[in-house]
């Protein structure tokens, strides 16, 4: 029910974004994308979603502003510390048997998860042999991830999470405080490739040993979740690992048989081959 | 109130929630088929303390809401901590880790506004005790969509700020004591 006209406008807007700019939000979970579109309409000062669509179609400069509403998600470093603890205790020992490693942070947003993994791999002595791929569809998010600058007010929470994740070092070893901002050490991204990649429209990425993609799939509808999970399956090396968000699951996916549970309570799965 | 039309109930509560819900949920009969979706502001760890607390005391099924789950009759759903709970138009549940609303995730506004979209006039929404403004905009959205808006009487709420804010945003809301709210819900089961 709700406002039927508004629902039509939103469907048309998503179609317009796809046809004009090839960003495909048409299979995003609708209730959430609707909230974001309406938030953008209000804050960008448009009288209606249709008015926003008109501007978007004729003025490409509108796109980045809208993308920030449609894609950027807030996160924190070492969010769900028990996930990182499970990586440290259960996955890393397995990864240590490889001479070189590839890790994909899919939907890296502003980079909090990327830096968390980079610190974890350094603490475990794997940083020199690991290449990280950090991807997102939003160029501004990728820039923010590459900058690695976060509000100093977040550091207390980040530090607490890091400790709970079984820290072997102090988080303060990795950043310098500067005018209310925490600037993370550039050595943490010396082995990182930042890249524009869409789970909706792009293809398999490379032979990964670990893919971490948390709180991205909940924004997709089921067919799109299946597409992304198929992409992950195809991008993993044999016995490679996949980490999802704490409320995400392979349970109902057509690709469920392509993975086995590795640390089920942390949603860490391992590629299974027949 | 035309209770016959109600197909879902949403409840929002903050400070004082546990006691208020203990007055309501265990009193609901096993015959109640209307699903109940609840957001309680809790600290953002991953515990399921609320589900555990109420599961043993209720005659209805009590569970944590899961992403993409179809809303089932006779079930009480709690939003998981640190995620927003939303209702999709086809009446399934969705979770998101969007930014906090009124410093809260889950936020009552997010549940109420999306449930109002999905259920329109077939929704009853209840704001209970609490210390902030969350739920006021959501309750207004429920009323605007033709749903039933109910606010716990601020004079009897353990913490009056949240029901008072809801009432000032949505002055047409029905003001009820906790016992009246229970009676109203039991009345839904009798249909």
């Amino acid at each position: 029910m709700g406002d039927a006209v508004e629902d039509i406008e939103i469907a048309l807007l998503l179609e317009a974004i796809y046809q004009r700019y090839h960003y495909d939000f048409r299979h995003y979970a609708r209730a959430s994308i609707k909230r974001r579109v309406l938030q953008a309409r209000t804050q960008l000062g448009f009288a209606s979603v249709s008015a926003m669509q008109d501007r978007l179609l004729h003025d490409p400069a509108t796109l980045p502003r809208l993308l920030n509403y449609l894609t950027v998600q807030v996160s924190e470093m070492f969010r769900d510390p028990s996930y990182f603890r499970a990586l440290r205790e259960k996955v890393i020992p397995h990864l240590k048997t490889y001479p070189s490693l590839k890790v994909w942070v899919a939907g890296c947003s502003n980079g909090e998860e990327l830096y968390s993994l980079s610190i974890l791999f350094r603490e475990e002595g794997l940083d020199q042999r690991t290449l990280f791929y950090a991807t997102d569809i939003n160029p501004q998010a990728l820039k923010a991830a590459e900058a690695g600058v976060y509000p100093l007010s977040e550091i207390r929470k980040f530090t607490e999470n890091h400790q709970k994740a079984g820290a072997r070092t102090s988080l303060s070893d990795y950043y310098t405080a500067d005018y209310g901002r925490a600037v993370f050490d550039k050595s943490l991204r010396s082995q990182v490739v930042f890249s524009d990649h869409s789970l909706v429209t792009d293809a398999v990425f490379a032979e990964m040993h670990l893919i971490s993609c948390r709180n991205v799939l909940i924004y997709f509808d089921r067919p799109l979740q299946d597409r992304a999970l198929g992409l992950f399956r195809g991008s993993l090396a044999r016995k490679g690992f996949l980490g999802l968000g704490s409320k995400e699951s392979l349970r109902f996916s057509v690709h469920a048989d392509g993975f086995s549970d590795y640390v089920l309570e942390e949603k860490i799965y391992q590629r299974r081959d027949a | 109130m035309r209770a016959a039309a109600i197909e879902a109930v949403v409840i929002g509560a903050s400070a004082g929630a546990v006691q208020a819900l203990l007055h309501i949920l265990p009193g609901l009969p096993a015959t109640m088929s209307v699903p109940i979706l609840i957001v309680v502001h809790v600290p953002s760890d991953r515990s399921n303390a609320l589900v555990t607390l109420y599961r043993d005391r209720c005659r209805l099924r009590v569970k944590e809401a899961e992403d993409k789950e179809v809303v089932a009759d006779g079930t009480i759903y709690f939003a998981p901590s640190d995620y927003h709970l939303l209702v999709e138009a086809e009446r399934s549940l969705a979770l998101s880790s969007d930014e906090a609303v009124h410093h809260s995730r889950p936020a009552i506004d997010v549940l109420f506004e999306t449930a109002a979209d999905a259920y329109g006039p077939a929704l009853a929404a209840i704001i209970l005790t609490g210390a902030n403004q969350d739920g006021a905009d959501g309750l207004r959205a429920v009323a605007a969509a033709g749903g039933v808006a109910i606010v716990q009487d601020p004079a009897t709420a353990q913490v009056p700020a949240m029901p008072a804010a809801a009432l000032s945003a949505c002055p047409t809301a029905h003001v009820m004591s906790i016992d009246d709210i229970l009676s109203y819900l039991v009345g839904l089961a009798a249909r």
Side-chain angles (χ1 to χ4, degrees):
Chain A
M1 293 177 218
D3 188 335
V5 173
E6 213 158 57
D7 290 338
I8 294 168
E9 288 180 290
I10 289 166
L12 292 173
L13 175 77
L14 300 184
E15 187 63 34
I17 295 171
Y18 177 65
Q19 291 199 19
R20 177 81 167 85
Y21 300 105
H22 310 293
Y23 285 96
D24 193 353
F25 295 101
R26 296 173 301 170
H27 289 280
Y28 274 47
R30 196 47 70 94
S32 170
I33 202 83
K34 179 175 180 176
R35 277 187 64 80
R36 289 161 175 242
V37 167
L38 295 182
Q39 199 179 9
R41 179 204 60 190
T42 304
Q43 295 189 10
L44 298 177
F46 290 102
S48 69
V49 176
S50 300
M52 188 160 70
Q53 180 187 317
D54 181 58
R55 174 78 70 81
L56 183 78
L57 283 171
H58 298 287
D59 175 14
T62 310
L63 180 70
R65 297 160 70 206
L66 185 57
L67 273 188
N68 284 342
Y69 286 96
L70 298 187
T71 67
V72 169
Q73 292 144 40
V74 286
S75 188
E76 53 195 52
M77 287 180 74
F78 296 97
R79 179 176 181 186
D80 303 327
S82 55
Y83 170 78
F84 290 92
R85 186 178 274 275
L87 288 181
R88 187 192 298 279
E89 293 172 356
K90 309 263 174 59
V91 175
I92 296 271
H94 187 93
L95 296 181
K96 281 183 174 168
T97 64
Y98 292 91
S100 72
L101 292 166
K102 286 181 177 174
V103 175
W104 179 13
V105 183
C108 69
S109 195
N110 294 335
E112 293 90 341
E113 175 122 339
L114 169 70
Y115 287 93
S116 308
L117 287 169
S118 183
I119 289 168
L120 174 67
F121 274 58
R122 182 173 298 182
E123 286 179 337
E124 299 300 328
L126 290 176
D127 54 325
Q128 291 305 314
R129 61 173 116 155
T130 303
L131 190 57
F132 289 92
Y133 295 85
T135 66
D136 203 275
I137 59 169
N138 185 343
Q140 275 181 254
L142 280 173
K143 263 186 212 157
E146 204 161 354
V149 176
Y150 304 101
L152 211 48
S153 55
E154 299 283 303
I155 286 294
R156 188 169 158 184
K157 179 70 179 167
F158 292 1
T159 302
E160 193 184 307
N161 288 348
H162 180 223
Q163 291 301 318
K164 285 186 190 159
R168 295 189 201 275
T169 56
S170 165
L171 194 66
S172 61
D173 297 344
Y174 302 102
Y175 67 85
T176 48
D178 171 34
Y179 298 102
R181 307 174 313 160
V183 181
F184 277 79
D185 192 319
K186 63 178 187 296
S187 71
L188 289 172
R189 53 180 179 272
S190 62
Q191 303 261 77
V192 182
V193 176
F194 293 91
S195 174
D196 177 1
H197 183 276
S198 165
L199 298 173
V200 186
T201 51
D202 290 337
V204 166
F205 211 64
E207 287 258 298
M208 298 292 161
H209 299 91
L210 168 65
I211 298 174
S212 195
C213 181
R214 302 197 310 137
N215 298 315
V216 175
L217 297 188
I218 46 173
Y219 291 99
F220 295 175
D221 70 10
R222 279 219 197 280
L224 188 50
Q225 286 184 341
D226 280 335
R227 186 194 192 277
L229 288 168
L231 202 63
F232 294 153
R233 174 82 179 36
S235 301
L236 281 173
R238 287 176 70 86
K239 307 254 181 195
F241 297 93
L242 171 66
L244 300 178
S246 68
K247 302 302 172 193
E248 295 166 333
S249 163
L250 287 179
R251 215 172 1 146
F252 302 109
S253 171
V254 297
H255 296 290
D257 291 342
F259 297 88
S260 50
D261 297 337
Y262 193 74
V263 185
L264 185 57
E265 63 277 17
E266 297 302 334
K267 305 298 164 69
I268 298 172
Y269 303 91
Q270 187 171 34
R271 172 170 164 159
R272 175 155 72 189
D273 291 279
Chain B
M1 278 181 274
R2 289 171 42 250
I6 297 303
E7 291 168 23
V9 174
V10 289
I11 299 176
S14 190
V18 170
Q19 282 306 313
L21 290 171
L22 277 174
H23 276 286
I24 297 173
L25 302 182
L28 298 175
T31 53
M32 177 141 191
S33 66
V34 180
I36 300 175
L37 310 171
I38 305 176
V39 164
V40 175
H41 296 156
V42 287
S44 65
D45 58 28
R46 289 164 65 186
S47 67
N48 265 332
L50 291 168
V51 171
T52 311
L53 174 68
Y54 294 103
R55 182 178 276 157
D56 296 338
R57 293 173 168 80
C58 289
R59 279 164 280 194
L60 295 165
R61 187 166 78 121
V62 178
K63 72 184 295 290
E64 186 178 276
E66 292 180 68
D67 190 48
K68 308 278 189 283
E69 180 176 16
V70 174
V71 178
D73 285 350
T75 304
I76 298 171
Y77 296 93
F78 280 95
S81 65
D82 212 21
Y83 286 84
H84 291 305
L85 172 61
L86 303 85
V87 185
E88 295 286 354
E90 68 274 17
R91 299 183 180 182
S92 62
L93 301 177
L95 302 178
S96 95
S97 55
D98 282 357
E99 54 278 358
V101 175
H102 299 294
H103 307 289
S104 301
R105 190 172 66 194
I108 301 164
D109 279 342
V110 174
L111 172 64
F112 281 20
E113 286 168 13
T114 56
D117 250 16
Y119 287 96
L123 182 72
I126 304 169
I127 292 288
L128 299 174
T129 170
N132 69 11
Q133 314 282 306
D134 189 22
D137 292 341
L139 194 71
R140 191 169 47 200
V142 170
V148 176
I150 296 169
V151 170
Q152 183 184 6
D153 184 352
T156 66
Q158 191 178 329
V159 183
M162 201 163 83
L167 201 52
S168 76
C170 184
T172 57
H174 303 273
V175 179
M176 295 187 185
S177 69
I178 205 93
D179 289 333
D180 291 341
I181 291 170
L182 176 58
S183 304
Y184 169 76
L185 292 174
V186 170
L188 295 181
R191 302 280 157 162

